[in-house]
Amino acid sequence: MPHLSRLTSLAMALALLGGAPQLLAAEEPANLPATAVNGKAPLPLDELRTFAEVLDRIKSAYVEPVDDKTLLENAIKGMLSNLDPHSAYLEPEDFQELQESTSGEFGGLGIEVGAEDGFVKVVSPIDDTPASKAGIQPGDLIVKIDGQPTKGISLMEAVDKMRGKAGSKITLTLVRDGGQPFDVELVRAAIKVKSVKSQLLDKSYGYLRITQFQVNTGEEVGKALAKMRKDNGGRLSGLVLDLRNNPGGVLQAAVEVSDHFLKRGLIVYTKGRIANSELRFSADPADASEGVPLVVLINGGSASAAEIVAGALQDHKRGVLMGTDSFGKGSVQTVLPLNNDRALKLTTALYYTPNGRSIQAQGIVPDIEVARAKVTREQDGESFKEADLAGHLGNGNGGADRPSSSKKSAEPRPQDDDFQLSQALNLLKGLNVTRGK
């Protein structure tokens, strides 16, 4: 068995929330718990004897021969996967895929997944990917992949099965809200995630959508705010920040995004057992948003880094949170590189909002609950106005006539088919009315 002194070769190189890592400077081994490094902690001899005995029995009695490397790697995988749903042992391919996700480009279906009761659960589909286009929703259970049950396989194995060459087909069997299983056929694609999207909903009212927190998300949000201000010809009257179905990502990006809306105070802090896990992040005086009235949309697919932003803005009363309860992932994962291009993704800390709230397994509760709903617009019937009548009098102030036939059909807008977004926009307009603007 490898000697415990190998722990001294571990170095912290990546820190992440959710699925996307962030490269950090390597830390010295001395920052790991002293009892693990200097060997003072007593070895669990009885348990090690049991492990050695089980290893020997498998090698001698299993129906097929299994080499030592496979047995030991399987033991490591089991040790990590039984800690919590987010800790894992990363083989070279998994490690590479984890690093690729920071660039926003990878192959697969575009689903952020977690584990629940031995099944694979959809945390969130990513915008403009095969998963979102197929209508996969947060909370769906993936019970089969190409006809093979997911019950009992590790999360990493399930992800490996869903990844594949762009253009290849895959069938997922889903269970939604405890109903009957149904199949969804998808075509894998090269997933290129655009982290930030923005546009003007109405004059002076902006819409900012963050699909995932990547390394450059903070910078992109700053550019998006400046562009909307320029397109509007001045300061916005209100802004909707959409964090729905955002599975999280890089911790530093969440801090930078929050800082764009805050002038002072704590944004988030973390607590764990090792010194490096004790972090605190605060806002600087600059405010890229110019204090614009803000509504933040969240739902059950808003996780991790998205919850950091929502929690910080809620605690500082910077905006009104609207939607439904968030996912509730309040833990920080650190990637510890090993030799042979392998790594451990290990939960090392919990994060807390400025007011000391832990989001873990509870989530963020919106200030105003608005459930997801469909908006159905009724067709207008035939109608006539005064201006349609022959010989009608002109406007006393000299204004132009407005007959019904002159009304142009409006271009479709995002809020027309999105009930939660339309409610957020209505709230912003209502706030400006009450303020006398």
Side-chain angles (χ1 to χ4, degrees), residues 213 218 221-222 225 241 251-268 281-291 308-309 312-313 316 318:
F213 287 88
V221 166
L225 289 170
L241 175 59
L251 170 60
Q252 185 63 36
V255 172
E256 292 172 4
V257 169
S258 302
D259 197 12
H260 282 314
F261 297 95
L262 299 172
K263 291 184 177 180
R264 65 182 68 85
L266 191 63
I267 293 174
V268 65
F281 299 91
S282 297
D284 62 39
D287 181 7
S289 69
E290 298 184 330
I308 286 180
V309 175
L313 297 178
H316 285 288
R318 175 61 184 85

PDB file of all heavy atoms in Angstrom, residues 213 218 221-222 225 241 251-268 281-291 308-309 312-313 316 318:
ATOM      1  N   PHE A 213     -20.977  30.353 -13.920  1.00  0.00           N
ATOM      2  CA  PHE A 213     -19.894  31.209 -13.464  1.00  0.00           C
ATOM      3  C   PHE A 213     -18.552  30.630 -13.907  1.00  0.00           C
ATOM      4  O   PHE A 213     -18.077  29.630 -13.362  1.00  0.00           O
ATOM      5  CB  PHE A 213     -19.945  31.381 -11.940  1.00  0.00           C
ATOM      6  CG  PHE A 213     -21.066  32.271 -11.488  1.00  0.00           C
ATOM      7  CD1 PHE A 213     -22.329  31.742 -11.230  1.00  0.00           C
ATOM      8  CD2 PHE A 213     -20.872  33.633 -11.358  1.00  0.00           C
ATOM      9  CE1 PHE A 213     -23.369  32.569 -10.841  1.00  0.00           C
ATOM     10  CE2 PHE A 213     -21.911  34.469 -10.967  1.00  0.00           C
ATOM     11  CZ  PHE A 213     -23.156  33.937 -10.700  1.00  0.00           C
ATOM     12  N   GLY A 218     -17.070  37.624 -14.349  1.00  0.00           N
ATOM     13  CA  GLY A 218     -17.096  38.937 -13.719  1.00  0.00           C
ATOM     14  C   GLY A 218     -16.791  40.047 -14.703  1.00  0.00           C
ATOM     15  O   GLY A 218     -17.488  41.076 -14.749  1.00  0.00           O
ATOM     16  N   VAL A 221     -19.742  40.500 -17.164  1.00  0.00           N
ATOM     17  CA  VAL A 221     -20.873  41.216 -16.573  1.00  0.00           C
ATOM     18  C   VAL A 221     -20.612  42.719 -16.586  1.00  0.00           C
ATOM     19  O   VAL A 221     -21.502  43.524 -16.899  1.00  0.00           O
ATOM     20  CB  VAL A 221     -21.137  40.719 -15.136  1.00  0.00           C
ATOM     21  CG1 VAL A 221     -22.078  41.675 -14.393  1.00  0.00           C
ATOM     22  CG2 VAL A 221     -21.751  39.321 -15.172  1.00  0.00           C
ATOM     23  N   GLY A 222     -19.384  43.137 -16.271  1.00  0.00           N
ATOM     24  CA  GLY A 222     -19.042  44.556 -16.320  1.00  0.00           C
ATOM     25  C   GLY A 222     -19.236  45.136 -17.714  1.00  0.00           C
ATOM     26  O   GLY A 222     -19.785  46.239 -17.881  1.00  0.00           O
ATOM     27  N   LEU A 225     -23.086  45.404 -18.525  1.00  0.00           N
ATOM     28  CA  LEU A 225     -23.718  46.553 -17.874  1.00  0.00           C
ATOM     29  C   LEU A 225     -23.397  47.833 -18.631  1.00  0.00           C
ATOM     30  O   LEU A 225     -24.274  48.683 -18.844  1.00  0.00           O
ATOM     31  CB  LEU A 225     -23.245  46.659 -16.425  1.00  0.00           C
ATOM     32  CG  LEU A 225     -23.762  45.586 -15.460  1.00  0.00           C
ATOM     33  CD1 LEU A 225     -23.027  45.660 -14.124  1.00  0.00           C
ATOM     34  CD2 LEU A 225     -25.267  45.726 -15.241  1.00  0.00           C
ATOM     35  N   LEU A 241     -31.643  40.540 -12.995  1.00  0.00           N
ATOM     36  CA  LEU A 241     -30.492  39.630 -13.000  1.00  0.00           C
ATOM     37  C   LEU A 241     -31.043  38.214 -12.913  1.00  0.00           C
ATOM     38  O   LEU A 241     -31.604  37.811 -11.902  1.00  0.00           O
ATOM     39  CB  LEU A 241     -29.578  39.925 -11.814  1.00  0.00           C
ATOM     40  CG  LEU A 241     -28.389  38.973 -11.612  1.00  0.00           C
ATOM     41  CD1 LEU A 241     -27.481  38.961 -12.827  1.00  0.00           C
ATOM     42  CD2 LEU A 241     -27.603  39.346 -10.350  1.00  0.00           C
ATOM     43  N   LEU A 251     -15.784  30.273  -7.745  1.00  0.00           N
ATOM     44  CA  LEU A 251     -16.056  31.107  -6.574  1.00  0.00           C
ATOM     45  C   LEU A 251     -15.662  32.561  -6.830  1.00  0.00           C
ATOM     46  O   LEU A 251     -16.427  33.485  -6.529  1.00  0.00           O
ATOM     47  CB  LEU A 251     -15.295  30.545  -5.368  1.00  0.00           C
ATOM     48  CG  LEU A 251     -15.252  31.407  -4.098  1.00  0.00           C
ATOM     49  CD1 LEU A 251     -16.642  31.661  -3.584  1.00  0.00           C
ATOM     50  CD2 LEU A 251     -14.398  30.740  -3.035  1.00  0.00           C
ATOM     51  N   GLN A 252     -14.469  32.783  -7.359  1.00  0.00           N
ATOM     52  CA  GLN A 252     -14.001  34.150  -7.576  1.00  0.00           C
ATOM     53  C   GLN A 252     -14.919  34.912  -8.519  1.00  0.00           C
ATOM     54  O   GLN A 252     -15.147  36.114  -8.355  1.00  0.00           O
ATOM     55  CB  GLN A 252     -12.575  34.125  -8.135  1.00  0.00           C
ATOM     56  CG  GLN A 252     -11.937  35.503  -8.284  1.00  0.00           C
ATOM     57  CD  GLN A 252     -11.775  36.229  -6.956  1.00  0.00           C
ATOM     58  OE1 GLN A 252     -11.490  35.595  -5.941  1.00  0.00           O
ATOM     59  NE2 GLN A 252     -11.990  37.535  -6.963  1.00  0.00           N
ATOM     60  N   ALA A 253     -15.480  34.218  -9.516  1.00  0.00           N
ATOM     61  CA  ALA A 253     -16.400  34.874 -10.445  1.00  0.00           C
ATOM     62  C   ALA A 253     -17.668  35.335  -9.727  1.00  0.00           C
ATOM     63  O   ALA A 253     -18.196  36.411 -10.004  1.00  0.00           O
ATOM     64  CB  ALA A 253     -16.759  33.928 -11.589  1.00  0.00           C
ATOM     65  N   ALA A 254     -18.174  34.515  -8.791  1.00  0.00           N
ATOM     66  CA  ALA A 254     -19.358  34.901  -8.020  1.00  0.00           C
ATOM     67  C   ALA A 254     -19.070  36.145  -7.190  1.00  0.00           C
ATOM     68  O   ALA A 254     -19.916  37.042  -7.056  1.00  0.00           O
ATOM     69  CB  ALA A 254     -19.791  33.748  -7.123  1.00  0.00           C
ATOM     70  N   VAL A 255     -17.874  36.221  -6.627  1.00  0.00           N
ATOM     71  CA  VAL A 255     -17.477  37.392  -5.840  1.00  0.00           C
ATOM     72  C   VAL A 255     -17.418  38.629  -6.729  1.00  0.00           C
ATOM     73  O   VAL A 255     -17.923  39.701  -6.365  1.00  0.00           O
ATOM     74  CB  VAL A 255     -16.117  37.143  -5.160  1.00  0.00           C
ATOM     75  CG1 VAL A 255     -15.594  38.426  -4.507  1.00  0.00           C
ATOM     76  CG2 VAL A 255     -16.235  36.039  -4.122  1.00  0.00           C
ATOM     77  N   GLU A 256     -16.818  38.501  -7.920  1.00  0.00           N
ATOM     78  CA  GLU A 256     -16.688  39.636  -8.823  1.00  0.00           C
ATOM     79  C   GLU A 256     -18.048  40.139  -9.300  1.00  0.00           C
ATOM     80  O   GLU A 256     -18.275  41.354  -9.397  1.00  0.00           O
ATOM     81  CB  GLU A 256     -15.815  39.249 -10.015  1.00  0.00           C
ATOM     82  CG  GLU A 256     -14.351  39.011  -9.646  1.00  0.00           C
ATOM     83  CD  GLU A 256     -13.545  38.445 -10.812  1.00  0.00           C
ATOM     84  OE1 GLU A 256     -14.114  38.311 -11.928  1.00  0.00           O
ATOM     85  OE2 GLU A 256     -12.364  38.134 -10.612  1.00  0.00           O
ATOM     86  N   VAL A 257     -18.955  39.220  -9.595  1.00  0.00           N
ATOM     87  CA  VAL A 257     -20.297  39.623 -10.033  1.00  0.00           C
ATOM     88  C   VAL A 257     -21.012  40.358  -8.905  1.00  0.00           C
ATOM     89  O   VAL A 257     -21.626  41.414  -9.125  1.00  0.00           O
ATOM     90  CB  VAL A 257     -21.107  38.396 -10.498  1.00  0.00           C
ATOM     91  CG1 VAL A 257     -22.582  38.768 -10.694  1.00  0.00           C
ATOM     92  CG2 VAL A 257     -20.536  37.840 -11.795  1.00  0.00           C
ATOM     93  N   SER A 258     -20.963  39.820  -7.695  1.00  0.00           N
ATOM     94  CA  SER A 258     -21.597  40.486  -6.554  1.00  0.00           C
ATOM     95  C   SER A 258     -21.027  41.880  -6.355  1.00  0.00           C
ATOM     96  O   SER A 258     -21.757  42.843  -6.058  1.00  0.00           O
ATOM     97  CB  SER A 258     -21.399  39.659  -5.279  1.00  0.00           C
ATOM     98  OG  SER A 258     -21.932  38.363  -5.410  1.00  0.00           O
ATOM     99  N   ASP A 259     -19.715  42.004  -6.531  1.00  0.00           N
ATOM    100  CA  ASP A 259     -19.046  43.282  -6.322  1.00  0.00           C
ATOM    101  C   ASP A 259     -19.501  44.344  -7.305  1.00  0.00           C
ATOM    102  O   ASP A 259     -19.446  45.543  -7.015  1.00  0.00           O
ATOM    103  CB  ASP A 259     -17.526  43.079  -6.441  1.00  0.00           C
ATOM    104  CG  ASP A 259     -16.739  44.233  -5.855  1.00  0.00           C
ATOM    105  OD1 ASP A 259     -17.338  45.083  -5.163  1.00  0.00           O
ATOM    106  OD2 ASP A 259     -15.515  44.299  -6.089  1.00  0.00           O
ATOM    107  N   HIS A 260     -19.971  43.936  -8.486  1.00  0.00           N
ATOM    108  CA  HIS A 260     -20.478  44.902  -9.468  1.00  0.00           C
ATOM    109  C   HIS A 260     -21.739  45.604  -8.963  1.00  0.00           C
ATOM    110  O   HIS A 260     -22.104  46.672  -9.487  1.00  0.00           O
ATOM    111  CB  HIS A 260     -20.790  44.207 -10.791  1.00  0.00           C
ATOM    112  CG  HIS A 260     -19.570  43.910 -11.613  1.00  0.00           C
ATOM    113  ND1 HIS A 260     -18.570  44.822 -11.837  1.00  0.00           N
ATOM    114  CD2 HIS A 260     -19.190  42.780 -12.278  1.00  0.00           C
ATOM    115  CE1 HIS A 260     -17.634  44.285 -12.600  1.00  0.00           C
ATOM    116  NE2 HIS A 260     -17.980  43.051 -12.876  1.00  0.00           N
ATOM    117  N   PHE A 261     -22.407  45.020  -7.982  1.00  0.00           N
ATOM    118  CA  PHE A 261     -23.669  45.584  -7.484  1.00  0.00           C
ATOM    119  C   PHE A 261     -23.566  46.127  -6.065  1.00  0.00           C
ATOM    120  O   PHE A 261     -24.529  46.685  -5.547  1.00  0.00           O
ATOM    121  CB  PHE A 261     -24.771  44.514  -7.539  1.00  0.00           C
ATOM    122  CG  PHE A 261     -25.075  44.039  -8.926  1.00  0.00           C
ATOM    123  CD1 PHE A 261     -24.469  42.900  -9.441  1.00  0.00           C
ATOM    124  CD2 PHE A 261     -25.954  44.734  -9.738  1.00  0.00           C
ATOM    125  CE1 PHE A 261     -24.731  42.453 -10.722  1.00  0.00           C
ATOM    126  CE2 PHE A 261     -26.235  44.303 -11.024  1.00  0.00           C
ATOM    127  CZ  PHE A 261     -25.612  43.169 -11.521  1.00  0.00           C
ATOM    128  N   LEU A 262     -22.433  45.935  -5.409  1.00  0.00           N
ATOM    129  CA  LEU A 262     -22.263  46.344  -4.016  1.00  0.00           C
ATOM    130  C   LEU A 262     -21.114  47.341  -3.890  1.00  0.00           C
ATOM    131  O   LEU A 262     -20.116  47.241  -4.606  1.00  0.00           O
ATOM    132  CB  LEU A 262     -21.986  45.131  -3.127  1.00  0.00           C
ATOM    133  CG  LEU A 262     -23.082  44.062  -3.071  1.00  0.00           C
ATOM    134  CD1 LEU A 262     -22.586  42.835  -2.314  1.00  0.00           C
ATOM    135  CD2 LEU A 262     -24.345  44.611  -2.421  1.00  0.00           C
ATOM    136  N   LYS A 263     -21.240  48.268  -2.947  1.00  0.00           N
ATOM    137  CA  LYS A 263     -20.197  49.261  -2.706  1.00  0.00           C
ATOM    138  C   LYS A 263     -19.359  48.946  -1.474  1.00  0.00           C
ATOM    139  O   LYS A 263     -18.247  49.448  -1.341  1.00  0.00           O
ATOM    140  CB  LYS A 263     -20.825  50.651  -2.537  1.00  0.00           C
ATOM    141  CG  LYS A 263     -21.431  51.231  -3.795  1.00  0.00           C
ATOM    142  CD  LYS A 263     -21.936  52.637  -3.532  1.00  0.00           C
ATOM    143  CE  LYS A 263     -22.500  53.275  -4.806  1.00  0.00           C
ATOM    144  NZ  LYS A 263     -22.989  54.661  -4.548  1.00  0.00           N
ATOM    145  N   ARG A 264     -19.901  48.157  -0.582  1.00  0.00           N
ATOM    146  CA  ARG A 264     -19.175  47.888   0.657  1.00  0.00           C
ATOM    147  C   ARG A 264     -19.714  46.610   1.290  1.00  0.00           C
ATOM    148  O   ARG A 264     -20.780  46.101   0.903  1.00  0.00           O
ATOM    149  CB  ARG A 264     -19.325  49.049   1.642  1.00  0.00           C
ATOM    150  CG  ARG A 264     -20.758  49.254   2.145  1.00  0.00           C
ATOM    151  CD  ARG A 264     -20.879  50.431   3.083  1.00  0.00           C
ATOM    152  NE  ARG A 264     -20.650  51.676   2.371  1.00  0.00           N
ATOM    153  CZ  ARG A 264     -21.614  52.330   1.704  1.00  0.00           C
ATOM    154  NH1 ARG A 264     -22.842  51.837   1.656  1.00  0.00           N
ATOM    155  NH2 ARG A 264     -21.364  53.447   1.084  1.00  0.00           N
ATOM    156  N   GLY A 265     -18.967  46.114   2.262  1.00  0.00           N
ATOM    157  CA  GLY A 265     -19.444  45.004   3.065  1.00  0.00           C
ATOM    158  C   GLY A 265     -18.969  43.640   2.591  1.00  0.00           C
ATOM    159  O   GLY A 265     -18.414  43.481   1.502  1.00  0.00           O
ATOM    160  N   LEU A 266     -19.228  42.644   3.417  1.00  0.00           N
ATOM    161  CA  LEU A 266     -18.848  41.265   3.147  1.00  0.00           C
ATOM    162  C   LEU A 266     -19.719  40.675   2.048  1.00  0.00           C
ATOM    163  O   LEU A 266     -20.922  40.937   1.992  1.00  0.00           O
ATOM    164  CB  LEU A 266     -18.994  40.446   4.437  1.00  0.00           C
ATOM    165  CG  LEU A 266     -18.425  39.041   4.474  1.00  0.00           C
ATOM    166  CD1 LEU A 266     -16.914  39.057   4.286  1.00  0.00           C
ATOM    167  CD2 LEU A 266     -18.769  38.375   5.818  1.00  0.00           C
ATOM    168  N   ILE A 267     -19.109  39.890   1.168  1.00  0.00           N
ATOM    169  CA  ILE A 267     -19.850  39.201   0.109  1.00  0.00           C
ATOM    170  C   ILE A 267     -20.098  37.744   0.493  1.00  0.00           C
ATOM    171  O   ILE A 267     -21.226  37.246   0.421  1.00  0.00           O
ATOM    172  CB  ILE A 267     -19.083  39.274  -1.226  1.00  0.00           C
ATOM    173  CG1 ILE A 267     -19.051  40.721  -1.723  1.00  0.00           C
ATOM    174  CG2 ILE A 267     -19.737  38.370  -2.278  1.00  0.00           C
ATOM    175  CD1 ILE A 267     -18.204  40.930  -2.964  1.00  0.00           C
ATOM    176  N   VAL A 268     -19.054  37.045   0.901  1.00  0.00           N
ATOM    177  CA  VAL A 268     -19.172  35.645   1.301  1.00  0.00           C
ATOM    178  C   VAL A 268     -17.942  35.279   2.119  1.00  0.00           C
ATOM    179  O   VAL A 268     -16.881  35.892   1.971  1.00  0.00           O
ATOM    180  CB  VAL A 268     -19.284  34.725   0.044  1.00  0.00           C
ATOM    181  CG1 VAL A 268     -18.008  34.768  -0.781  1.00  0.00           C
ATOM    182  CG2 VAL A 268     -19.627  33.298   0.418  1.00  0.00           C
ATOM    183  N   PHE A 281     -14.377  37.469   1.515  1.00  0.00           N
ATOM    184  CA  PHE A 281     -14.355  38.347   0.345  1.00  0.00           C
ATOM    185  C   PHE A 281     -15.285  39.527   0.601  1.00  0.00           C
ATOM    186  O   PHE A 281     -16.437  39.343   0.999  1.00  0.00           O
ATOM    187  CB  PHE A 281     -14.813  37.603  -0.905  1.00  0.00           C
ATOM    188  CG  PHE A 281     -13.948  36.423  -1.269  1.00  0.00           C
ATOM    189  CD1 PHE A 281     -14.231  35.148  -0.792  1.00  0.00           C
ATOM    190  CD2 PHE A 281     -12.843  36.589  -2.084  1.00  0.00           C
ATOM    191  CE1 PHE A 281     -13.444  34.064  -1.117  1.00  0.00           C
ATOM    192  CE2 PHE A 281     -12.043  35.505  -2.424  1.00  0.00           C
ATOM    193  CZ  PHE A 281     -12.339  34.252  -1.942  1.00  0.00           C
ATOM    194  N   SER A 282     -14.776  40.741   0.354  1.00  0.00           N
ATOM    195  CA  SER A 282     -15.557  41.958   0.586  1.00  0.00           C
ATOM    196  C   SER A 282     -15.626  42.788  -0.681  1.00  0.00           C
ATOM    197  O   SER A 282     -14.779  42.670  -1.582  1.00  0.00           O
ATOM    198  CB  SER A 282     -14.936  42.785   1.720  1.00  0.00           C
ATOM    199  OG  SER A 282     -14.966  42.059   2.941  1.00  0.00           O
ATOM    200  N   ALA A 283     -16.624  43.667  -0.759  1.00  0.00           N
ATOM    201  CA  ALA A 283     -16.834  44.513  -1.931  1.00  0.00           C
ATOM    202  C   ALA A 283     -15.935  45.735  -1.881  1.00  0.00           C
ATOM    203  O   ALA A 283     -15.564  46.208  -0.804  1.00  0.00           O
ATOM    204  CB  ALA A 283     -18.300  44.934  -1.999  1.00  0.00           C
ATOM    205  N   ASP A 284     -15.599  46.251  -3.075  1.00  0.00           N
ATOM    206  CA  ASP A 284     -14.865  47.516  -3.136  1.00  0.00           C
ATOM    207  C   ASP A 284     -15.849  48.640  -3.438  1.00  0.00           C
ATOM    208  O   ASP A 284     -16.996  48.393  -3.805  1.00  0.00           O
ATOM    209  CB  ASP A 284     -13.739  47.451  -4.176  1.00  0.00           C
ATOM    210  CG  ASP A 284     -14.249  47.222  -5.592  1.00  0.00           C
ATOM    211  OD1 ASP A 284     -15.300  47.795  -5.948  1.00  0.00           O
ATOM    212  OD2 ASP A 284     -13.611  46.466  -6.340  1.00  0.00           O
ATOM    213  N   PRO A 285     -15.434  49.907  -3.293  1.00  0.00           N
ATOM    214  CA  PRO A 285     -16.379  51.035  -3.416  1.00  0.00           C
ATOM    215  C   PRO A 285     -16.967  51.230  -4.805  1.00  0.00           C
ATOM    216  O   PRO A 285     -18.005  51.877  -4.947  1.00  0.00           O
ATOM    217  CB  PRO A 285     -15.520  52.246  -3.012  1.00  0.00           C
ATOM    218  CG  PRO A 285     -14.400  51.684  -2.212  1.00  0.00           C
ATOM    219  CD  PRO A 285     -14.114  50.350  -2.806  1.00  0.00           C
ATOM    220  N   ALA A 286     -16.323  50.709  -5.840  1.00  0.00           N
ATOM    221  CA  ALA A 286     -16.851  50.904  -7.199  1.00  0.00           C
ATOM    222  C   ALA A 286     -18.178  50.170  -7.372  1.00  0.00           C
ATOM    223  O   ALA A 286     -18.387  49.092  -6.802  1.00  0.00           O
ATOM    224  CB  ALA A 286     -15.840  50.414  -8.229  1.00  0.00           C
ATOM    225  N   ASP A 287     -19.093  50.752  -8.158  1.00  0.00           N
ATOM    226  CA  ASP A 287     -20.412  50.141  -8.397  1.00  0.00           C
ATOM    227  C   ASP A 287     -20.729  50.229  -9.886  1.00  0.00           C
ATOM    228  O   ASP A 287     -21.225  51.248 -10.363  1.00  0.00           O
ATOM    229  CB  ASP A 287     -21.480  50.852  -7.567  1.00  0.00           C
ATOM    230  CG  ASP A 287     -22.870  50.256  -7.756  1.00  0.00           C
ATOM    231  OD1 ASP A 287     -22.982  49.207  -8.428  1.00  0.00           O
ATOM    232  OD2 ASP A 287     -23.843  50.828  -7.242  1.00  0.00           O
ATOM    233  N   ALA A 288     -20.427  49.159 -10.611  1.00  0.00           N
ATOM    234  CA  ALA A 288     -20.647  49.162 -12.062  1.00  0.00           C
ATOM    235  C   ALA A 288     -22.124  49.274 -12.421  1.00  0.00           C
ATOM    236  O   ALA A 288     -22.468  49.698 -13.530  1.00  0.00           O
ATOM    237  CB  ALA A 288     -20.058  47.895 -12.677  1.00  0.00           C
ATOM    238  N   SER A 289     -23.011  48.898 -11.491  1.00  0.00           N
ATOM    239  CA  SER A 289     -24.451  48.937 -11.775  1.00  0.00           C
ATOM    240  C   SER A 289     -25.064  50.308 -11.523  1.00  0.00           C
ATOM    241  O   SER A 289     -26.232  50.535 -11.832  1.00  0.00           O
ATOM    242  CB  SER A 289     -25.180  47.895 -10.923  1.00  0.00           C
ATOM    243  OG  SER A 289     -25.161  48.261  -9.556  1.00  0.00           O
ATOM    244  N   GLU A 290     -24.301  51.220 -10.915  1.00  0.00           N
ATOM    245  CA  GLU A 290     -24.770  52.569 -10.598  1.00  0.00           C
ATOM    246  C   GLU A 290     -26.001  52.568  -9.698  1.00  0.00           C
ATOM    247  O   GLU A 290     -26.848  53.459  -9.779  1.00  0.00           O
ATOM    248  CB  GLU A 290     -25.070  53.357 -11.887  1.00  0.00           C
ATOM    249  CG  GLU A 290     -23.847  53.567 -12.776  1.00  0.00           C
ATOM    250  CD  GLU A 290     -24.147  54.419 -13.997  1.00  0.00           C
ATOM    251  OE1 GLU A 290     -25.308  54.390 -14.476  1.00  0.00           O
ATOM    252  OE2 GLU A 290     -23.233  55.115 -14.460  1.00  0.00           O
ATOM    253  N   GLY A 291     -26.121  51.548  -8.859  1.00  0.00           N
ATOM    254  CA  GLY A 291     -27.230  51.503  -7.911  1.00  0.00           C
ATOM    255  C   GLY A 291     -28.589  51.321  -8.541  1.00  0.00           C
ATOM    256  O   GLY A 291     -29.621  51.631  -7.928  1.00  0.00           O
ATOM    257  N   ILE A 308     -24.438  32.146  -3.918  1.00  0.00           N
ATOM    258  CA  ILE A 308     -23.577  33.125  -3.262  1.00  0.00           C
ATOM    259  C   ILE A 308     -23.989  34.539  -3.664  1.00  0.00           C
ATOM    260  O   ILE A 308     -24.141  35.432  -2.820  1.00  0.00           O
ATOM    261  CB  ILE A 308     -22.098  32.871  -3.620  1.00  0.00           C
ATOM    262  CG1 ILE A 308     -21.576  31.649  -2.872  1.00  0.00           C
ATOM    263  CG2 ILE A 308     -21.233  34.085  -3.316  1.00  0.00           C
ATOM    264  CD1 ILE A 308     -20.133  31.318  -3.161  1.00  0.00           C
ATOM    265  N   VAL A 309     -24.171  34.750  -4.975  1.00  0.00           N
ATOM    266  CA  VAL A 309     -24.572  36.065  -5.467  1.00  0.00           C
ATOM    267  C   VAL A 309     -25.941  36.446  -4.921  1.00  0.00           C
ATOM    268  O   VAL A 309     -26.136  37.551  -4.395  1.00  0.00           O
ATOM    269  CB  VAL A 309     -24.581  36.092  -7.008  1.00  0.00           C
ATOM    270  CG1 VAL A 309     -25.104  37.421  -7.526  1.00  0.00           C
ATOM    271  CG2 VAL A 309     -23.178  35.836  -7.551  1.00  0.00           C
ATOM    272  N   ALA A 312     -25.777  37.200  -1.124  1.00  0.00           N
ATOM    273  CA  ALA A 312     -25.099  38.463  -0.812  1.00  0.00           C
ATOM    274  C   ALA A 312     -26.003  39.655  -1.116  1.00  0.00           C
ATOM    275  O   ALA A 312     -26.131  40.588  -0.305  1.00  0.00           O
ATOM    276  CB  ALA A 312     -23.799  38.569  -1.601  1.00  0.00           C
ATOM    277  N   LEU A 313     -26.649  39.649  -2.279  1.00  0.00           N
ATOM    278  CA  LEU A 313     -27.518  40.760  -2.653  1.00  0.00           C
ATOM    279  C   LEU A 313     -28.743  40.829  -1.746  1.00  0.00           C
ATOM    280  O   LEU A 313     -29.221  41.920  -1.414  1.00  0.00           O
ATOM    281  CB  LEU A 313     -27.942  40.619  -4.115  1.00  0.00           C
ATOM    282  CG  LEU A 313     -26.801  40.680  -5.143  1.00  0.00           C
ATOM    283  CD1 LEU A 313     -27.348  40.491  -6.552  1.00  0.00           C
ATOM    284  CD2 LEU A 313     -26.040  41.985  -5.040  1.00  0.00           C
ATOM    285  N   HIS A 316     -27.621  42.211   1.813  1.00  0.00           N
ATOM    286  CA  HIS A 316     -27.339  43.647   1.758  1.00  0.00           C
ATOM    287  C   HIS A 316     -28.545  44.459   1.298  1.00  0.00           C
ATOM    288  O   HIS A 316     -28.429  45.681   1.135  1.00  0.00           O
ATOM    289  CB  HIS A 316     -26.154  43.910   0.827  1.00  0.00           C
ATOM    290  CG  HIS A 316     -24.823  43.546   1.403  1.00  0.00           C
ATOM    291  ND1 HIS A 316     -24.219  44.270   2.411  1.00  0.00           N
ATOM    292  CD2 HIS A 316     -23.982  42.511   1.146  1.00  0.00           C
ATOM    293  CE1 HIS A 316     -23.057  43.720   2.728  1.00  0.00           C
ATOM    294  NE2 HIS A 316     -22.896  42.634   1.972  1.00  0.00           N
ATOM    295  N   ARG A 318     -29.794  44.730  -1.501  1.00  0.00           N
ATOM    296  CA  ARG A 318     -29.459  45.419  -2.740  1.00  0.00           C
ATOM    297  C   ARG A 318     -30.495  45.183  -3.830  1.00  0.00           C
ATOM    298  O   ARG A 318     -30.654  45.983  -4.754  1.00  0.00           O
ATOM    299  CB  ARG A 318     -28.072  44.950  -3.225  1.00  0.00           C
ATOM    300  CG  ARG A 318     -27.636  45.484  -4.575  1.00  0.00           C
ATOM    301  CD  ARG A 318     -27.547  47.003  -4.575  1.00  0.00           C
ATOM    302  NE  ARG A 318     -27.222  47.491  -5.915  1.00  0.00           N
ATOM    303  CZ  ARG A 318     -28.123  47.716  -6.871  1.00  0.00           C
ATOM    304  NH1 ARG A 318     -29.423  47.500  -6.634  1.00  0.00           N
ATOM    305  NH2 ARG A 318     -27.756  48.172  -8.046  1.00  0.00           N
TER     306      ARG A 318
END
